[in-house]
Amino acid sequence: MVEIEMMPEPNGTWIMVCPCGQAERRGLGLRAWRKFKPTILPNHRYRVCCTACGRCMEHRLIYGITRSTK
């Protein structure tokens, strides 16, 4: 794994995993991540950064393109 991965689980929760080993499951009803920092960007994009290693992933909602920035 080279990118930060964000995956939905069947029960409606989400799990985010970074290549450095940082992982977090966001439960139902929780609106914030504790171990990852999401930021809304212009032009329908957002960035997610791992607070442990600083790796960031940008995602463009329109095109579905992801790429690491570290």
Side-chain angles (χ1 to χ4, degrees):
M1 173 175 62
V2 194
E3 303 284 344
I4 296 173
E5 293 187 27
M6 186 168 143
M7 301 159 282
E9 295 189 305
N11 64 357
T13 61
W14 288 85
I15 187 164
M16 195 157 343
V17 181
C18 182
C20 76
Q22 183 81 285
E24 180 178 357
R25 175 177 283 137
R26 192 181 77 187
L28 293 173
L30 297 178
R31 298 184 55 97
W33 294 93
R34 294 174 304 182
K35 299 177 181 179
F36 294 89
K37 182 183 176 196
T39 306
I40 300 295
L41 301 172
N43 300 320
H44 306 285
R45 296 178 303 134
Y46 67 89
R47 176 182 300 128
V48 175
C49 295
C50 174
T51 59
C53 73
R55 180 182 305 270
C56 293
M57 173 198 69
E58 288 186 15
H59 182 75
R60 184 174 303 231
L61 296 173
I62 295 173
Y63 303 110
I65 298 170
T66 59
R67 63 178 167 76
S68 176
T69 58
K70 182 175 181 185

